Amino acid sequence: MNSGFNLNDVKVKNRALILRLVATKYPVSRVELARKTGLTKTTSSKIVADLINEGFICERQAPMPKFSGAGRKPIVLDIADNAPSVCGMLVKRGFCIVIQSDLKGNIMAESRFDYSSISAEKLVSNLIQHYRKLQAASCSKMIAVGIASLGPVDIVAQTIANPPNFYGIENLPLSQLIHEQTGLPCYLMNDAKAGALAEKIYGNGRDMENFLYLHIEGGIGSGYVLHNQVFHGDLGQSGELGHTSIDFWGKKCTCGNVGCLELYSNIDMMNRKMRSFSKENEPHCDYLWEDILNMADNGSTVAIAALDEFCQYLSYGLVNAVTLMDIHHVIVGYECRTDSHTLERLLSQKLNDRLAAAGRGKIHVKRSFFGSSAPLMGSAAAVIDKLFNGELMVQI
Ligand SMILES: [Zn+2]
């Protein structure tokens, strides 16, 4: 295998690094850029000039208060207004969201469609239609498409493999089909790992070298970031935490395994727990996830008991996941309307209670910067990451 670097590779990597720093470390001056990259001022200035000419970046007066003091405010670099942007497509069971994102991780526009059944052809044509709608309404040209999809996804073949209950859609080469109709570079990855990527580039994982992103939405997905990179595994199917067994003699799961975590940490089990507190013949309606979280955050002992049991099961899977990789940070994304962090508190307590005896360091559990939307931001991040590491070279 050829793993050497020629001069052009180095130029591409340096250009990508400068674009990444300007997009994620605002405000950054030319001097800071040279210092952070270790490049000479001449090399750094040449790349900056190219990126300005191509409309990616611009010079601005520094904002306050970083450069406070008398005199003129220094000039810093920023992503230009109307700079090239990217398209992100989130594909889920029942709905899709198409977004336009700038390179700083801001969603500029979004468009959603829902369905109760859909064919592969209709799925693709709807995604294209929503992409075109966003592009027509924008002054910024979208230069690449990232797709975050429900799993399993094969990142080598760039296909959505065979998700259960996905209307019979299997082995769909979505990346290729979107590329054929847009003419743009396109990259597909699993939604939970896309969430991990969004946290790493723009979210709460920016300063963490290693962490596990945990996504709770119907099922339980996760994505490892190891040494600052999302770990995909051979096919992009790492981190299937919901389908790791926590009960050797448990029920059979649709994935073929037995006693999978998702069979125990789920909304039906939470409602069952809440019903167990009801008196006989007392009416009980099933609650949604957000309702139970809300009630728990507002001190409902019944809801706290249900969430506590959910976290108890989840901790069995998580202890294995963090122990195997020596991870000390867990970022958790889920739908919630309050800031009480009951779930993080319960989960942290259960993880640390069990791991302390083994002399392991403390595990820190933190809510996602994006709430429940890390995979949505991750759809754009899937391809922005390629731009920022030099794998995708786009010149205007
Ligand atoms: Zn399973």
Side-chain angles (χ1 to χ4, degrees):
M1 187 181 135
N2 179 5
S3 57
F5 291 98
N6 61 42
L7 196 57
N8 197 49
D9 292 335
V10 173
K11 278 185 183 170
V12 168
K13 291 278 181 198
N14 286 341
R15 174 191 152 98
L17 177 61
I18 285 185
L19 186 60
R20 178 182 189 130
L21 288 172
V22 172
T24 59
K25 301 285 184 193
Y26 178 79
V28 61
S29 68
R30 285 171 183 265
V31 174
E32 284 176 304
L33 209 50
R35 186 173 51 76
K36 283 176 192 287
T37 58
L39 297 172
T40 64
K41 282 185 188 163
T42 312
T43 305
S44 172
S45 294
K46 166 81 174 65
I47 297 171
V48 166
D50 288 346
L51 289 170
I52 289 175
N53 285 338
E54 292 166 29
F56 277 97
I57 66 177
C58 68
E59 291 182 313
R60 298 189 198 281
Q61 286 201 326
M64 304 297 275
K66 182 171 179 182
F67 296 101
S68 59
R72 281 186 60 199
K73 285 188 263 181
I75 299 296
V76 295
L77 298 165
D78 193 6
I79 295 296
D81 297 333
N82 297 330
S85 54
V86 303
C87 177
M89 297 176 172
L90 178 68
V91 178
K92 300 290 285 187
R93 194 180 288 105
F95 70 93
C96 290
I97 303 176
V98 181
I99 60 170
Q100 179 180 22
S101 167
D102 69 14
L103 300 183
K104 295 169 82 172
N106 300 307
I107 295 179
M108 303 156 74
E110 72 176 72
S111 186
R112 171 182 172 130
F113 60 94
D114 295 80
Y115 47 87
S116 54
S117 178
I118 200 162
S119 66
E121 293 74 21
K122 189 72 182 160
L123 179 73
V124 175
S125 68
N126 276 0
L127 288 168
I128 293 293
Q129 187 190 333
H130 285 258
Y131 153 77
R132 291 201 170 120
K133 185 175 89 177
L134 294 184
Q135 184 59 90
S138 174
C139 298
S140 161
K141 186 175 179 233
M142 290 192 273
I143 54 172
V145 182
I147 308 167
S149 168
L150 76 166
V153 162
D154 183 332
I155 58 162
V156 178
Q158 286 285 287
T159 55
I160 298 176
N162 55 345
N165 308 316
F166 194 45
Y167 321 110
I169 298 175
E170 284 189 355
N171 302 318
L172 180 69
L174 191 55
S175 220
Q176 179 62 26
L177 294 167
I178 298 291
H179 166 70
E180 282 169 8
Q181 297 207 41
T182 60
L184 300 178
C186 192
Y187 187 73
L188 165 73
M189 65 188 290
N190 168 276
D191 54 355
K193 274 165 279 300
L197 191 55
E199 289 293 341
K200 179 62 204 167
I201 300 177
Y202 299 115
N204 287 332
R206 271 179 296 186
D207 299 322
M208 296 175 190
E209 190 173 339
N210 303 302
F211 66 90
L212 180 73
Y213 172 72
L214 177 69
H215 191 73
I216 304 170
E217 184 189 5
I220 294 169
S222 70
Y224 282 110
V225 168
L226 305 174
H227 299 304
N228 296 312
Q229 303 282 330
V230 169
F231 176 75
H232 290 283
D234 284 340
L235 299 178
Q237 295 169 4
S238 67
E240 287 289 348
L241 189 68
H243 293 287
T244 55
S245 183
I246 62 166
D247 184 357
F248 191 67
W249 300 107
K251 288 182 280 185
K252 181 136 184 164
C253 180
T254 51
C255 74
N257 198 3
V258 291
C260 285
L261 172 61
E262 275 187 15
L263 300 174
Y264 304 88
S265 279
N266 64 46
I267 188 68
D268 291 339
M269 291 291 275
M270 292 172 91
N271 273 300
R272 198 166 94 171
K273 182 72 178 176
M274 290 176 79
R275 270 199 299 275
S276 72
F277 288 92
S278 306
K279 296 191 184 78
E280 209 175 331
N281 298 326
E282 191 179 343
H284 176 92
C285 61
D286 278 354
Y287 294 101
L288 300 173
W289 166 263
E290 296 96 298
D291 297 332
I292 298 176
L293 261 286
N294 242 348
M295 290 161 72
D297 284 344
N298 287 318
S300 158
T301 50
V302 174
I304 290 172
L307 189 59
D308 188 86
E309 187 181 78
F310 178 93
C311 289
Q312 182 68 35
Y313 291 131
L314 189 51
S315 71
Y316 294 136
L318 267 179
V319 162
N320 292 336
V322 298
T323 304
L324 278 171
M325 292 297 168
D326 190 20
I327 295 277
H328 292 86
H329 294 276
V330 175
I331 297 177
V332 56
Y334 61 96
E335 187 69 50
C336 185
R337 296 187 291 265
T338 72
D339 284 326
S340 297
H341 300 275
T342 310
L343 184 144
E344 290 91 309
R345 182 173 54 76
L346 291 172
L347 200 53
S348 171
Q349 205 174 55
K350 291 178 190 309
L351 287 173
N352 286 302
D353 280 356
R354 292 178 52 210
L355 290 168
R360 297 255 299 134
K362 186 171 166 58
I363 309 291
H364 304 271
V365 181
K366 195 169 190 177
R367 176 118 29 115
S368 165
F369 178 81
F370 301 99
S372 61
S373 300
L376 178 62
M377 187 62 237
S379 64
V383 79
I384 289 174
D385 185 52
K386 303 265 171 216
L387 266 178
F388 285 174
N389 66 23
E391 284 179 58
L392 179 63
M393 179 74 179
V394 182
Q395 280 179 313
I396 306 302

